Amino acid sequence: MQPPPSLWWSQINATSPRHSLRGDVDVDVAIVGGGYTGLWTARELLRRDPHLRICVLEARVCGFGASGRNGGWASALFPVPAASIVATYGRDAYTRQRLLLQTAVASLGAAARDDGIECDFAQGGTVSFARSALQENRARDAVALAKSHGVSEDDLRWIEPTELREIAWLDGARGATYSPHCARLQPARLARGLAESVERRGGRVYENTPVTRIVRGQGSRRAQVLTAHGTVRTDFVVRATEGFTPALPGLRRHVVPLYSLMIATAPLSEAWWAEYGFDTFPTFSDERHLLIYGQRTSDNRLAFGGRGSPYHFGSTIEPRFDVNDHVFTHLNASLRELFPTLDVEVTHRWGGPLAMPRSKFPYVTVDHDSGVSAAGGYTGDGVTLSYVCANALADLILAPGVETTFSSLPFVNSPARRWETEPFRWLGINAGLALATWADHHESRWGRQSRASALLERLMDM
Ligand SMILES: Cc1cc2nc3c(=O)[nH]c(=O)nc-3n(C[C@H](O)[C@H](O)[C@H](O)COP(=O)(O)OP(=O)(O)OC[C@H]3O[C@@H](n4cnc5c(N)ncnc54)[C@H](O)[C@@H]3O)c2cc1C
């Protein structure tokens, strides 16, 4: 089994897969999916109760999914705008959630350090550059809007070019927003390190073990997890399969898999970096519609990604969708536009599926009657959110009925909303992607907002 061809996987010693499940086992908690959600949950449960019998069942190898391929932003971002959270759950709930996410960035780094995981964690914050008058207005508006929701200058502020040059620089930057609540990390090192940590704490990790079905428990009959060569009987099953979820029986419309793609350059010289800064490793983006994200890696490369890959009809997930030459060419061109003096080759190209729920709110659910639990739906903000949701799952499983900071997060145990049937799903999502691409193209060509921006906003609200 080949691990995905990301820069991150090429930097770790790819060990042979762990044993797959052969025969039947009996555990307290069975976790389906060996990404951050599954592994943090196993780690948190074992940290709180080392006597628990826990197994992780991973279809390929731990970190095979988005957790081993992402942009390495451990941010305090949340996939739903503040105004919608306030409208749905109220201002206090929004503020509690925001503060918890901000703290979680450093907590995640500390937890990894405690477990001896070397994952290049560096909390240098994040900058979102403004490269046109329109982008500057959008960035300043974002700061003002955040302020109206109680976000202080310490958490998000506009910075002028003189100060920006001290942190990070891009050609044509007119300023940027800056938030200290983000760390860059090496994603695959975190995922592989977590799997080892779970084993050290006494959990069992099975790889090359695709789960074919989850059977709910009922009355005295415990839940079951079915695989080709063995069945797990368990009190709780945690489904942590994120972008791969629609492939499980009965979950086709639960989330949609969206593809995010990345490229990485060869290492750049210290002299080159001296021109641009990034000495404290802030992650970076800009104010366009179609998300881009980048980081300076520990070996001085640029790792840079973006959305724009189409949604595939029927929520299909296939390895061939991890690559898209059109998107890679676009990413390469965007990177060279941001850094015109870039004089090294792109050495790595890869991608993978993330999951977007219909409500856009992530989900954490624990059902004590059937034993079936799940977390995910992070829409590309899952590095920190998976750590937060794993803590919520551990609290809900071990201390039912007790309100904790994690289990009382507003979106925890909220009812799910299913996606529309096809072809409406395909039409709606790809229309949104096309509008975002068109709006960016129009803005960079004409320097003013297009009607597509307003349409896009309305579509996002649906
Ligand atoms: C290219 C890219 C860039 C991203 N960048 C960022 C970023 O910078 N910051 C950020 O916060 N988020 C980012 N994300 C999103 C983030 O990586 C994910 O939200 C997060 O890793 C989700 O973790 P997870 O464990 O829930 O899912 P995954 O990591 O996808 O893990 C799910 C696992 O379940 C396994 N699985 C699936 N089906 C089965 C089955 N039937 N049986 C057994 N196992 C199964 C899969 O093999 C996989 O290993 C990015 C995602 C992508 C794709």
Side-chain angles (χ1 to χ4, degrees), residues 307-331:
R307 302 270 172 81
S309 235
Y311 160 76
H312 301 279
F313 194 87
S315 297
T316 320
I317 313 143
E318 287 187 23
R320 69 192 162 99
F321 301 152
D322 296 346
V323 291
N324 180 318
D325 286 339
H326 175 74
V327 177
F328 289 140
T329 304
H330 181 70
L331 285 174

Side-chain angles (χ1 to χ4, degrees), residues 32-39 57-75 209-212 240-245 248 258-262 293 350-355 375-376 378-386:
V32 183
Y36 297 149
T37 304
L39 295 167
L57 304 148
E58 164 55 48
R60 311 291 284 269
V61 288
C62 289
F64 172 81
S67 300
R69 316 186 199 183
N70 62 69
W73 285 42
S75 73
T209 305
V211 166
T212 50
T241 46
E242 194 62 343
F244 305 89
T245 306
L248 283 166
L258 291 184
Y259 280 79
S260 202
L261 267 54
M262 293 197 68
Y293 48 90
W350 73 95
L354 47 89
Y378 312 123
T379 318
D381 291 328
V383 175
T384 309
L385 270 170
S386 56

Side-chain angles (χ1 to χ4, degrees), residues 41-205:
T41 305
R43 186 256 188 199
E44 274 310 310
L45 287 166
L46 288 164
R47 188 179 68 81
R48 293 158 200 220
D49 182 352
H51 302 296
L52 284 172
R53 296 168 306 158
I54 292 192
C55 74
V56 176
L57 304 148
E58 164 55 48
R60 311 291 284 269
V61 288
C62 289
F64 172 81
S67 300
R69 316 186 199 183
N70 62 69
W73 285 42
S75 73
L77 295 172
F78 192 77
V80 182
S84 306
I85 308 171
V86 173
T88 315
Y89 297 110
R91 172 123 171 191
D92 286 353
Y94 161 72
T95 305
R96 257 190 305 119
Q97 174 180 305
R98 178 175 64 79
L99 296 177
L100 189 148
L101 274 170
Q102 290 176 185
T103 318
V105 175
S107 308
L108 179 159
R113 222 174 14 255
D114 286 351
D115 285 16
I117 302 170
E118 300 281 344
C119 61
D120 302 337
F121 182 94
Q123 187 164 353
T126 186
V127 285
S128 179
F129 293 98
R131 299 179 58 251
S132 65
L134 198 62
Q135 288 197 359
E136 181 176 340
N137 286 344
R138 195 172 288 146
R140 287 181 184 274
D141 285 352
V143 174
L145 186 66
K147 199 173 171 194
S148 75
H149 289 300
V151 178
S152 78
E153 282 266 303
D154 290 341
D155 296 325
L156 182 74
R157 67 196 166 93
W158 168 259
I159 47 179
E160 298 289 349
T162 347
E163 188 187 350
L164 183 56
R165 277 184 183 277
E166 302 292 309
I167 302 171
W169 189 247
L170 275 189
D171 285 271
R174 301 164 63 103
T177 61
Y178 175 78
S179 165
H181 306 298
C182 189
R184 77 94 220 255
L185 51 78
Q186 207 282 22
R189 285 196 180 126
L190 176 59
R192 301 300 293 172
L194 277 172
E196 285 162 19
S197 165
V198 167
E199 287 179 316
R200 274 197 306 275
R201 289 175 185 274
R204 276 177 284 169
V205 180

Side-chain angles (χ1 to χ4, degrees), residues 246 251-259 310-317 321 356 358 418-431 433:
L251 295 169
R252 175 69 63 189
R253 287 164 58 197
H254 188 67
V255 290
V256 291
L258 291 184
Y259 280 79
Y311 160 76
H312 301 279
F313 194 87
S315 297
T316 320
I317 313 143
F321 301 152
M356 183 163 75
R358 184 62 180 87
R418 293 208 301 168
W419 277 91
E420 285 77 2
T421 49
E422 296 290 23
F424 303 107
R425 220 158 60 222
W426 184 88
L427 284 169
I429 296 164
N430 285 329
L433 288 168

